[in-house]
Coordinates of all heavy atoms in Angstrom, one line a residue:
E1 N 115.3 85.0 74.4 CA 116.7 84.7 74.9 C 117.5 85.9 74.4 O 117.8 86.0 73.2 CB 117.2 83.4 74.3 CG 116.5 82.2 74.8 CD 117.0 80.9 74.3 OE1 118.2 80.9 73.9 OE2 116.3 79.9 74.3
L2 N 117.9 86.7 75.4 CA 118.6 87.9 75.1 C 120.1 87.8 75.5 O 120.4 87.3 76.6 CB 118.0 89.1 75.8 CG 116.5 89.4 75.5 CD1 116.0 90.5 76.4 CD2 116.3 89.8 74.1
N3 N 121.0 88.2 74.6 CA 122.4 88.3 75.0 C 122.6 89.5 75.9 O 121.7 90.4 76.0 CB 123.3 88.2 73.8 CG 123.1 89.3 72.9 OD1 122.8 90.4 73.3 ND2 123.3 89.0 71.6
D4 N 123.8 89.7 76.4 CA 124.1 90.8 77.3 C 123.9 92.2 76.6 O 123.4 93.1 77.2 CB 125.5 90.7 77.8 CG 125.7 89.6 78.8 OD1 124.7 89.2 79.4 OD2 126.8 89.1 79.0
E5 N 124.3 92.3 75.3 CA 124.1 93.5 74.6 C 122.6 93.8 74.4 O 122.2 95.0 74.6 CB 124.8 93.3 73.2 CG 124.9 94.6 72.4 CD 125.6 94.4 71.1 OE1 126.8 94.1 71.1 OE2 124.9 94.4 70.0
E6 N 121.8 92.8 74.1 CA 120.4 93.1 73.9 C 119.7 93.4 75.2 O 118.8 94.2 75.2 CB 119.8 91.8 73.3 CG 120.2 91.5 71.9 CD 119.7 90.2 71.3 OE1 119.6 89.2 72.1 OE2 119.5 90.1 70.1
K7 N 120.2 92.8 76.3 CA 119.6 93.1 77.6 C 119.9 94.6 78.0 O 119.0 95.3 78.5 CB 120.2 92.2 78.7 CG 119.7 90.8 78.6 CD 120.4 90.0 79.7 CE 120.0 88.5 79.5 NZ 120.6 87.6 80.5
E8 N 121.1 95.1 77.7 CA 121.4 96.5 78.0 C 120.6 97.4 77.1 O 120.1 98.4 77.6 CB 122.9 96.8 77.8 CG 123.8 96.2 78.9 CD 123.4 96.6 80.2 OE1 123.2 97.9 80.4 OE2 123.4 95.8 81.2
A9 N 120.4 97.1 75.9 CA 119.6 97.9 75.0 C 118.1 97.9 75.4 O 117.4 98.9 75.5 CB 119.7 97.4 73.5
A10 N 117.6 96.7 75.9 CA 116.2 96.6 76.4 C 116.1 97.4 77.6 O 115.0 98.1 77.8 CB 115.9 95.2 76.6
K11 N 117.1 97.4 78.5 CA 117.0 98.1 79.8 C 116.9 99.6 79.5 O 116.1 100.3 80.1 CB 118.2 97.8 80.6 CG 118.1 98.3 82.0 CD 119.4 98.2 82.9 CE 120.1 96.9 82.8 NZ 121.2 96.8 83.7
K12 N 117.7 100.1 78.5 CA 117.7 101.5 78.2 C 116.4 101.9 77.6 O 115.8 102.9 77.9 CB 118.9 101.8 77.2 CG 119.0 103.2 76.7 CD 120.1 103.3 75.7 CE 120.1 104.7 75.0 NZ 119.2 104.8 73.9
D13 N 115.9 101.1 76.6 CA 114.6 101.4 76.0 C 113.5 101.4 77.0 O 112.6 102.3 76.9 CB 114.3 100.3 74.9 CG 115.2 100.4 73.7 OD1 115.8 101.5 73.5 OD2 115.3 99.5 72.9
M14 N 113.4 100.4 77.9 CA 112.4 100.4 78.9 C 112.4 101.6 79.8 O 111.4 102.2 80.2 CB 112.4 99.1 79.7 CG 111.9 97.9 78.9 SD 112.0 96.4 79.9 CE 110.6 96.6 80.9
S15 N 113.6 102.0 80.2 CA 113.8 103.2 81.0 C 113.3 104.4 80.3 O 112.6 105.3 80.9 CB 115.2 103.4 81.4 OG 115.7 102.4 82.3
E16 N 113.6 104.6 79.0 CA 113.1 105.7 78.3 C 111.6 105.7 78.2 O 110.9 106.7 78.3 CB 113.7 105.7 76.9 CG 115.2 106.1 76.9 CD 115.8 106.0 75.5 OE1 115.1 105.6 74.5 OE2 117.0 106.2 75.4
M17 N 111.0 104.5 78.0 CA 109.5 104.4 77.9 C 108.9 104.8 79.2 O 107.9 105.6 79.2 CB 109.1 103.0 77.5 CG 109.3 102.6 76.1 SD 108.6 101.0 75.7 CE 110.0 100.0 75.9
L18 N 109.4 104.3 80.3 CA 108.8 104.7 81.6 C 109.0 106.1 81.9 O 108.1 106.8 82.5 CB 109.5 103.8 82.7 CG 109.1 102.3 82.7 CD1 109.8 101.5 83.7 CD2 107.6 102.2 82.8
D19 N 110.1 106.7 81.6 CA 110.3 108.2 81.8 C 109.3 109.0 81.0 O 108.7 109.9 81.5 CB 111.7 108.6 81.3 CG 112.8 108.1 82.3 OD1 112.5 107.7 83.4 OD2 114.0 108.0 81.9
Y20 N 109.0 108.5 79.8 CA 108.0 109.2 78.9 C 106.6 109.1 79.6 O 105.9 110.1 79.6 CB 108.0 108.6 77.5 CG 107.1 109.3 76.6 CD1 107.4 110.6 76.1 CD2 105.9 108.7 76.2 CE1 106.6 111.2 75.2 CE2 105.0 109.4 75.3 CZ 105.4 110.6 74.8 OH 104.6 111.3 74.0
V21 N 106.3 107.9 80.0 CA 105.0 107.7 80.7 C 104.9 108.5 82.0 O 103.8 109.0 82.3 CB 104.7 106.2 80.9 CG1 103.5 106.0 81.8 CG2 104.6 105.5 79.6
N22 N 106.0 108.6 82.7 CA 106.0 109.4 83.9 C 105.7 110.9 83.7 O 105.3 111.6 84.6 CB 107.3 109.2 84.7 CG 107.3 107.9 85.5 OD1 106.2 107.4 85.9 ND2 108.4 107.4 85.7
K23 N 105.9 111.4 82.5 CA 105.6 112.7 82.2 C 104.1 113.0 82.3 O 103.7 114.1 82.6 CB 106.1 113.1 80.8 CG 107.6 113.3 80.7 CD 107.9 113.8 79.3 CE 109.4 114.1 79.3 NZ 109.8 114.9 78.1
L24 N 103.3 112.0 82.2 CA 101.9 112.2 82.3 C 101.5 112.6 83.7 O 100.5 113.2 83.9 CB 101.1 110.9 82.0 CG 101.3 110.4 80.5 CD1 100.6 109.1 80.3 CD2 100.6 111.5 79.6
N25 N 102.3 112.2 84.7 CA 102.1 112.6 86.1 C 102.2 114.2 86.3 O 101.7 114.7 87.3 CB 103.0 111.9 87.1 CG 102.7 110.4 87.1 OD1 101.5 110.0 87.0 ND2 103.7 109.6 87.4
E26 N 102.9 114.8 85.4 CA 103.0 116.3 85.5 C 101.8 117.0 85.0 O 101.7 118.2 85.3 CB 104.2 116.7 84.6 CG 105.6 116.1 85.1 CD 106.7 116.4 84.1 OE1 106.5 117.2 83.2 OE2 107.8 115.8 84.2
L27 N 100.9 116.4 84.3 CA 99.7 117.1 83.8 C 98.7 117.3 84.9 O 98.5 116.4 85.8 CB 99.1 116.2 82.7 CG 99.9 116.0 81.5 CD1 99.2 115.0 80.5 CD2 100.2 117.3 80.8
D28 N 98.0 118.4 84.9 CA 96.9 118.7 85.8 C 95.6 118.2 85.2 O 95.1 118.7 84.2 CB 96.8 120.2 86.0 CG 95.7 120.6 87.0 OD1 95.3 119.7 87.8 OD2 95.1 121.7 86.9
V29 N 95.1 117.1 85.7 CA 93.9 116.5 85.2 C 92.8 116.6 86.3 O 91.8 115.8 86.2 CB 94.1 115.0 84.8 CG1 95.1 115.0 83.6 CG2 94.7 114.2 85.9
S30 N 92.8 117.5 87.2 CA 91.9 117.6 88.2 C 90.5 117.9 87.7 O 89.5 117.4 88.3 CB 92.3 118.7 89.2 OG 92.4 119.9 88.6
G31 N 90.3 118.6 86.6 CA 89.0 118.9 86.1 C 88.5 118.0 85.0 O 87.5 118.3 84.3
V32 N 89.3 116.9 84.7 CA 89.0 116.1 83.6 C 88.2 114.8 84.0 O 88.7 114.1 85.0 CB 90.3 115.7 82.8 CG1 90.0 114.7 81.7 CG2 91.0 116.9 82.4
E33 N 87.1 114.6 83.4 CA 86.3 113.4 83.8 C 86.9 112.2 83.2 O 87.2 112.1 82.0 CB 84.9 113.6 83.3 CG 83.9 112.5 83.7 CD 82.5 112.7 83.2 OE1 82.1 113.9 83.0 OE2 81.8 111.7 82.9
P34 N 87.1 111.1 84.0 CA 87.6 109.8 83.4 C 86.7 109.3 82.3 O 85.4 109.4 82.4 CB 87.6 108.9 84.6 CG 87.5 109.7 85.8 CD 86.8 111.0 85.4
M35 N 87.2 108.7 81.3 CA 86.4 108.1 80.3 C 87.1 106.8 79.7 O 88.3 106.6 79.9 CB 86.2 109.1 79.1 CG 87.5 109.6 78.5 SD 87.1 110.8 77.2 CE 88.7 111.4 76.8
S36 N 86.3 106.0 79.1 CA 86.8 104.7 78.6 C 87.1 104.8 77.1 O 87.9 104.0 76.6 CB 85.8 103.6 78.9 OG 84.6 103.8 78.2
H37 N 86.6 105.8 76.4 CA 86.8 106.0 75.0 C 87.0 107.5 74.7 O 86.4 108.3 75.4 CB 85.6 105.5 74.2 CG 85.5 104.0 74.2 ND1 85.5 103.3 75.4 CD2 85.2 103.1 73.2 CE1 85.3 102.0 75.1 NE2 85.1 101.9 73.8
S38 N 87.7 107.8 73.7 CA 87.9 109.2 73.3 C 86.7 109.8 72.6 O 86.5 111.0 72.5 CB 89.1 109.4 72.5 OG 89.0 108.6 71.3
F39 N 85.8 108.9 72.0 CA 84.6 109.4 71.4 C 83.4 108.8 72.1 O 83.4 107.7 72.7 CB 84.6 108.9 69.9 CG 85.7 109.5 69.1 CD1 86.8 108.7 68.7 CD2 85.6 110.8 68.6 CE1 87.8 109.2 68.0 CE2 86.6 111.3 67.8 CZ 87.7 110.5 67.5
P40 N 82.3 109.6 72.1 CA 81.1 109.0 72.8 C 80.6 107.8 72.0 O 80.6 107.7 70.8 CB 80.1 110.1 72.6 CG 80.6 111.1 71.6 CD 82.1 110.9 71.5
I41 N 80.3 106.8 72.8 CA 79.9 105.5 72.3 C 78.4 105.4 72.5 O 77.9 105.6 73.6 CB 80.6 104.3 73.0 CG1 82.1 104.4 72.8 CG2 80.1 103.0 72.5 CD1 82.6 104.2 71.4
T42 N 77.6 105.0 71.4 CA 76.2 104.7 71.6 C 76.0 103.4 70.9 O 76.7 103.0 70.0 CB 75.4 105.8 70.9 OG1 75.8 105.9 69.5 CG2 75.5 107.2 71.5
N43 N 74.9 102.8 71.4 CA 74.6 101.5 70.8 C 74.1 101.6 69.4 O 73.1 102.3 69.2 CB 73.5 100.8 71.7 CG 73.3 99.3 71.3 OD1 73.9 98.8 70.3 ND2 72.5 98.6 72.0
V44 N 74.7 101.0 68.4 CA 74.3 101.2 67.0 C 73.6 100.0 66.5 O 73.3 99.8 65.3 CB 75.5 101.5 66.1 CG1 76.2 102.8 66.5 CG2 76.5 100.3 66.2

């Protein structure tokens, strides 16, 4: 339950987060293979 002040702060924070995530679209990842983990996973 957010009051008006908290809603405005949340709106600002969410906009900043989305702007930061949108910066990833500027990266050239054409030669990067998709992966599910940053380290190679083997069955241990």
Side-chain angles (χ1 to χ4, degrees):
E1 293 183 21
L2 303 173
N3 61 33
D4 292 336
E5 186 178 295
E6 292 170 328
K7 287 179 187 177
E8 287 302 316
K11 191 187 315 186
K12 179 181 173 276
D13 290 344
M14 286 180 75
S15 291
E16 288 176 1
M17 283 187 267
L18 289 176
D19 290 341
Y20 184 75
V21 170
N22 280 332
K23 285 187 175 194
L24 295 175
N25 291 330
E26 298 172 10
L27 297 174
D28 178 25
V29 293
S30 57
V32 178
E33 183 180 332
M35 60 183 170
S36 61
H37 293 46
S38 58
F39 297 103
I41 300 290
T42 57
N43 188 359
V44 295

